[in-house]
Amino acid sequence: MPPVLTNKNRIMSEMMKLSFHHRAFYCYLGMSLWIFVLITVMYKYMSVSEEISIPKKIYKDQYISKSDVKFRKIYMRACNPADNIVRGSEGAVDEDAWLLHGVLVITRHGDRGPLTHLKGGDKLPCDSSIVSPLLKSYEDYVANASASGRAWWVTSTGPFHNFPSLPTRAAGTSCALGQLTPRGLLQMITVGNILRAAYADKLGLDNIDPQGKKDTGVAVSYSTRYRRTFLSLSGAWWGAARGGAGARLAACREAHSVSFCFRDCACPAHHAIDKKINNQARNRLESHPAIKELVSKLSKVLFETQERTDADVVRDALLAYMCHDVPLPCTHKANHEKPKLTIDKRHRLHESKTGTRNLLDVDIDTLNMELDYINNQVDLNGDVGRKAREVIGKYYDLKDKKAPLDFDAQMEREKLLYYQQRYLDTGDTYDDVVIVKKNLDADFNFPNDARIDADFDEDYKEPTPETEDFCIKKEHVLSLFAYLEWSYRQEIKNIHNRKRGLLVSYGLLHNIVQNMIRMISENKPRFVIYSGHDKTLQALVLALGLSNYQYYNIQYASRLIFEVYRKKDLRDEVKYAKRKAVARDFYFRVVFNGEDVTNKLSFCNAKHNVVMRVVDPIDDLKIYNTFLCPIESIVRFIHDDYFSVFNVSNFKDACATAGNKRG
C-alpha cells in the first residue's frame, strides 16, 4: 500500500478518536449543566414554598385573641391538668454528700365538683371517664382488691369505713357536690408517681407489706374525713407505692380539722381575726363597683338558689365549667319562661296535697357524712353541740338516746356535723343565726324546717330574674381572676392574715417538726403524707413566711414537701475518725410544686444554709442551685420564735392576745 494512503488512514483514525473523546466531554458537560439548572430550579421552588408558608402561619396566628392566651394561662394555673404536673427539684441534692433520712408531704386534693348547687349542674360532665392508662391501672387495682363492692382497706372498722376507692358517680352526668372527679384522681396518681420517682428507692417504699399485717411504722398517713381527701390520698399512695398502697390506706389516721391542728385546735382568736380579714375583703370589693356588679351578674347565671356576693364562691363555680371543658353558661330572658317552683315551694305544695313530707332527691352520701360517724363522734352536750342546737333548733331527746329518728331528725344531725366542720373548724363567722341556718339549708338542698320558717320568710329573697340574655364570656372570667389575684396579693401582705396563718397551722407544723425529730432519733417514720385542702396549705405557707402570691394561690393537687437529710461523711474534724451523727449533721429543704423554696423561709438564715449545684433530675442540661437549712433552725422557730409577732411565747397566750385586740 502506498505510504500516502497509509498516512491518510492514520490521520482519519486519530480524528475519529478525537471526535469520540469530544462527544463524551460534551455529554458530560451537558449533563453537568442540566443538573446544575435542575438543582437551582428546585432550590428556587423550595425557597418560594417556604416564603409562602411563613406568611400563612402568621396569618393564622394573628387571629388568636390575647384573651384566649390569657384564658389558657388561667386554665393551666387554676385547673392544673395532670399533664401539667411534672417533677421538679424533688430529691435534687448531691447524693455523694447527703443521705435522705425522711420525707413529709402535704397535699391539696385533686379536681372536685363545685361546693354549691349550680344551675344546670346536673349536666356538667365532672364524672365522665378519662382515657388514661394510668387511671385504668388504678381502677384494675381497686377491682382486684374489692370483694364485696368495697376495697379491703375500707372494710374494717375505722374513720374511713366504707369510703369509696373510686370517684362517686352521680345520677346521670352530674357533678357530685364537693366530690373528687376522675380528673382529680388522675392528678393525685401523677403526684404519687413523682413521689415514687424521687423517693421510693431511697426510702424503700416498695418494701411495705401489701396486706399491712406487719406495720413497721415506716410510713404514716393522715387525711381529713372528706371523701375527696381520702380518695386523693388513695391515688397518691398508689402512685408512690403501687401494691403497698392498700396497707397504708388501711392504717390511715383521721385529722379532725381541715387545718390538721391535732391538739392545738381551740382558739377563739381565729374568728376575731377572720372577721377583720372578711371585712377587709368586702371593703376591697366595694371599692371596685364594676367588679361587684360583675360578681352579681355572674351569680345570677351560675347559682340556682340565691345570689352570691363572694367573688371566691363565684370563682369556684366557674372552675366547674373551665376545668371540665364545658362552655360557659348563659341565662335567658325571664319573660319567655314560666315561673319555676323552688325546692322549698315544691315541697310545701306536695306537703299540702298529700299531708306527708317528701324525701326529695337528697344524696346524703354525696354530702360526705354518715350517721354512724355523727352518732359516735359528735358530743351533743359539748360546746359544739350547744352552739349548734342554738342555730339549728332542738331535735334530740337527751333522755332517750336510742329513740328512732325520722328523716327530718337525720337531716338535722347531718346539718349538725356540717355546721361543726364549716363554721367552727374552718373559722368562718357564725354570729348571724339566720344566715347560718339559711346557708345550711341551701347547702343541703333541703326545705327550711317549719320551726323557724318565720325567720326566713322576711329575710330570704329569690334571685332577681334577668330581663335580658347574659352569657358569661372569657373576658368576664379574666376580669374576675385579675381582681382576685390582686386581692390575694393584698391578703398575703396583711399582718392579720399572717397571724391567722400562724395560729391555724401551729398544730400541723408542730406535728411536722415532731416527726422530723423522730426521723432523726428513731429513724422512723420515713414517709408521712397529710392529705388536706387549699386552706391547709395556705395557712402553712403564711406560717413559713413564703410571701409570694404564687405560693398562696393553691391549685388542685398542690404539694409541699419537707425533705430531711444527713451528712454522709461523719468524721471527727480533729481525729478524722468516724463518729455518731449529732443534731448539726441534719438538714432539711422545702419543695413547693417542684420549686426549692428553702432559701425563702423566714427562719432559715442564708449564712447557715448549704448551697449546692445540682443537675435537674429530668433535664440533664439544666443545672441550678438547691439549698439545705439546718434542722436546728425549724426546731428553734417552732419552740422559741413562732409567736414573736404576738409578743408571747405559747399558743394559748397567742390566742388570748389576738382575740382581745381590737381594730
Side-chain angles (χ1 to χ4, degrees):
M1 182 176 293
V4 178
L5 292 174
T6 304
N7 293 335
K8 187 176 181 180
N9 290 336
R10 190 179 297 154
I11 292 172
M12 291 295 294
S13 177
E14 292 296 332
M15 290 179 65
M16 291 294 293
K17 289 181 179 181
L18 184 60
S19 176
F20 279 118
H21 285 303
H22 283 190
R23 286 177 62 186
F25 173 75
Y26 293 146
C27 183
Y28 175 78
L29 183 61
M31 289 183 64
S32 300
L33 291 173
W34 172 251
I35 293 173
F36 177 79
V37 172
L38 182 63
I39 292 175
T40 304
V41 173
M42 288 178 64
Y43 179 79
K44 180 179 180 181
Y45 277 102
M46 289 172 64
S47 63
V48 170
S49 176
E50 291 176 357
E51 291 173 359
I52 294 174
S53 65
I54 291 174
K56 279 186 177 179
K57 187 174 182 179
I58 297 175
Y59 181 78
K60 181 179 178 181
D61 283 351
Q62 69 183 3
Y63 287 98
I64 296 179
S65 171
K66 290 183 179 180
S67 65
D68 291 332
V69 177
K70 292 181 179 179
F71 188 84
R72 177 69 178 174
K73 290 181 179 179
I74 289 177
Y75 166 80
M76 297 298 290
R77 188 164 59 238
C79 299
N80 197 25
D83 54 5
N84 191 48
I85 302 174
V86 296
R87 181 180 176 183
S89 64
E90 287 90 350
V93 299
D94 183 0
E95 297 183 5
D96 295 331
W98 298 94
L99 177 67
L100 181 64
H101 228 64
V103 171
L104 303 100
V105 185
I106 305 94
T107 65
R108 185 197 177 185
H109 57 75
D111 175 79
R112 54 159 171 76
L115 295 178
T116 50
H117 294 278
L118 306 180
K119 289 182 181 178
D122 57 337
K123 299 178 182 178
L124 291 174
C126 295
D127 58 357
S128 58
S129 299
I130 300 176
V131 180
S132 168
L134 202 58
L135 190 58
K136 181 65 169 60
S137 298
Y138 172 80
E139 291 173 349
D140 293 341
Y141 171 72
V142 172
N144 294 331
S146 304
S148 58
R150 298 283 185 181
W152 65 265
W153 51 82
V154 293
T155 55
S156 58
T157 57
F160 306 103
H161 175 69
N162 273 345
F163 268 40
S165 299
L166 291 172
T168 303
R169 300 290 181 179
T173 58
S174 63
C175 278
L177 282 182
Q179 301 305 308
L180 195 73
T181 66
R183 293 171 187 258
L185 180 58
L186 181 59
Q187 288 172 330
M188 296 309 298
I189 293 174
T190 305
V191 170
N193 281 348
I194 293 174
L195 300 177
R196 179 179 181 82
Y199 311 118
D201 292 338
K202 301 172 184 176
L203 299 179
L205 296 182
D206 289 329
N207 299 329
I208 298 174
D209 178 17
Q211 298 300 321
K213 296 180 180 179
K214 299 179 181 178
D215 188 6
T216 59
V218 173
V220 179
S221 308
Y222 298 93
S223 174
T224 58
R225 202 178 185 278
Y226 288 86
R227 281 170 170 77
R228 59 179 177 269
T229 52
F230 183 73
L231 188 51
S232 294
L233 180 65
S234 303
W237 259 121
W238 184 80
R242 292 297 190 266
R248 296 301 97 219
L249 295 170
C252 181
R253 306 172 187 178
E254 178 189 1
H256 294 278
S257 171
V258 170
S259 62
F260 291 79
C261 54
F262 296 98
R263 297 181 179 180
D264 300 294
C265 295
C267 185
H270 288 180
H271 311 299
I273 296 177
D274 275 337
K275 283 185 179 180
K276 296 177 183 178
I277 297 172
N278 292 336
N279 287 336
Q280 291 171 347
R282 283 193 291 269
N283 292 337
R284 284 197 297 269
L285 187 60
E286 291 290 340
S287 66
H288 292 76
I291 296 297
K292 182 180 178 182
E293 182 181 359
L294 175 63
V295 169
S296 178
K297 285 186 175 181
L298 297 181
S299 299
K300 295 172 184 177
V301 178
L302 292 168
F303 303 110
E304 69 177 17
T305 54
Q306 59 188 19
E307 292 187 31
R308 307 277 175 154
T309 56
D310 190 336
D312 287 291
V313 177
V314 174
R315 175 187 182 273
D316 182 79
L318 287 173
L319 290 181
Y321 290 88
M322 295 169 54
C323 297
H324 303 106
D325 305 322
V326 180
L328 296 172
C330 295
T331 185
H332 301 291
K333 292 182 180 179
N335 22 352
H336 293 304
E337 298 179 357
K338 295 181 180 180
K340 298 180 180 179
L341 289 174
T342 63
I343 293 174
D344 190 44
K345 291 178 181 177
R346 286 201 308 268
H347 172 77
R348 292 179 181 176
L349 181 61
H350 175 83
E351 188 175 5
S352 63
K353 289 182 178 180
T354 63
T356 59
R357 183 176 283 263
N358 186 10
L359 298 186
L360 299 179
D361 298 324
V362 179
D363 183 3
I364 298 178
D365 181 70
T366 302
L367 299 174
N368 192 20
M369 302 163 194
E370 298 182 27
L371 290 176
D372 60 337
Y373 173 71
I374 299 169
N375 294 333
N376 296 331
Q377 299 294 334
V378 176
D379 181 9
L380 299 174
N381 295 314
D383 293 337
V384 175
R386 285 195 296 271
K387 182 64 180 178
R389 284 198 300 276
E390 293 175 7
V391 174
I392 297 173
K394 297 179 180 180
Y395 60 90
Y396 189 73
D397 187 0
L398 294 177
K399 296 180 180 179
D400 185 9
K401 295 185 178 181
K402 297 183 179 179
L405 297 175
D406 59 10
F407 184 77
D408 291 338
Q410 291 179 15
M411 286 304 300
E412 294 302 329
R413 285 197 171 200
E414 295 284 353
K415 292 177 184 179
L416 169 60
L417 179 60
Y418 186 75
Y419 168 82
Q420 176 193 6
Q421 292 178 336
R422 176 168 178 176
Y423 293 96
L424 293 185
D425 289 352
T426 61
D428 290 342
T429 55
Y430 53 92
D431 291 343
D432 193 332
V433 174
V434 173
I435 292 178
V436 170
K437 181 64 172 67
K438 181 167 59 177
N439 287 341
L440 288 171
D441 284 320
D443 289 334
F444 274 79
N445 195 16
F446 195 72
N448 300 323
D449 191 272
R451 288 187 296 272
I452 56 172
D453 274 345
D455 294 337
F456 289 90
D457 288 339
E458 59 180 287
D459 280 350
Y460 182 77
K461 295 181 180 180
E462 291 291 334
T464 305
E466 287 290 329
T467 57
E468 59 183 15
D469 292 349
F470 179 78
C471 291
I472 300 178
K473 299 179 180 179
K474 292 180 180 179
E475 289 75 14
H476 299 143
V477 177
L478 294 176
S479 298
L480 179 67
F481 276 70
Y483 165 78
L484 285 173
E485 180 176 339
W486 171 81
S487 181
Y488 294 155
R489 291 181 189 276
Q490 311 310 307
E491 282 188 13
I492 201 168
K493 295 183 292 186
N494 189 335
I495 183 60
H496 297 304
N497 204 27
R498 175 79 197 286
K499 288 181 177 180
R500 177 174 65 175
L502 288 166
L503 293 175
V504 170
S505 64
Y506 174 70
L508 172 59
L509 196 55
H510 189 266
N511 185 266
I512 288 173
V513 173
Q514 284 181 326
N515 278 321
M516 294 172 75
I517 294 174
R518 289 185 60 203
M519 289 175 179
I520 295 173
S521 59
E522 304 174 22
N523 204 28
K524 66 178 183 179
R526 305 203 68 192
F527 194 79
V528 184
I529 300 183
Y530 305 83
S531 181
H533 307 259
D534 55 345
K535 299 298 183 184
T536 310
L537 282 168
Q538 278 184 339
L540 190 57
V541 162
L542 291 169
L544 295 175
L546 299 175
S547 57
N548 195 310
Y549 156 76
Q550 62 179 328
Y551 309 130
Y552 187 71
N553 185 20
I554 309 298
Q555 56 197 9
Y556 290 131
S558 289
R559 60 194 187 276
L560 191 146
I561 303 174
F562 290 80
E563 300 174 357
V564 179
Y565 290 92
R566 192 205 75 195
K567 290 180 180 178
K568 278 189 175 181
D569 187 12
L570 298 177
R571 292 184 180 276
D572 189 277
E573 297 178 356
V574 179
K575 300 179 180 179
Y576 296 100
K578 287 187 177 182
R579 58 174 175 79
K580 292 183 178 181
V582 293
R584 66 173 181 271
D585 297 319
F586 290 91
Y587 288 71
F588 76 99
R589 62 193 293 258
V590 179
V591 182
F592 182 77
N593 286 337
E595 179 187 351
D596 187 348
V597 296
T598 311
N599 63 322
K600 300 176 182 178
L601 302 178
S602 61
F603 50 85
C604 284
N605 193 322
K607 296 179 180 179
H608 303 144
N609 289 349
V610 174
V611 185
M612 66 190 83
R613 298 282 288 175
V614 297
V615 178
D616 187 83
I618 305 300
D619 186 357
D620 294 339
L621 300 178
K622 188 176 180 181
I623 301 176
Y624 48 77
N625 288 339
T626 59
F627 303 86
L628 289 173
C629 178
I631 208 156
E632 294 174 341
S633 298
I634 193 170
V635 173
R636 187 181 301 109
F637 171 67
I638 198 70
H639 286 294
D640 299 337
D641 305 328
Y642 193 86
F643 299 107
S644 59
V645 68
F646 299 97
N647 254 350
V648 296
S649 59
N650 59 73
F651 179 71
K652 182 178 179 180
D653 291 344
C655 288
T657 302
N660 292 333
K661 286 185 178 180
R662 299 185 180 276

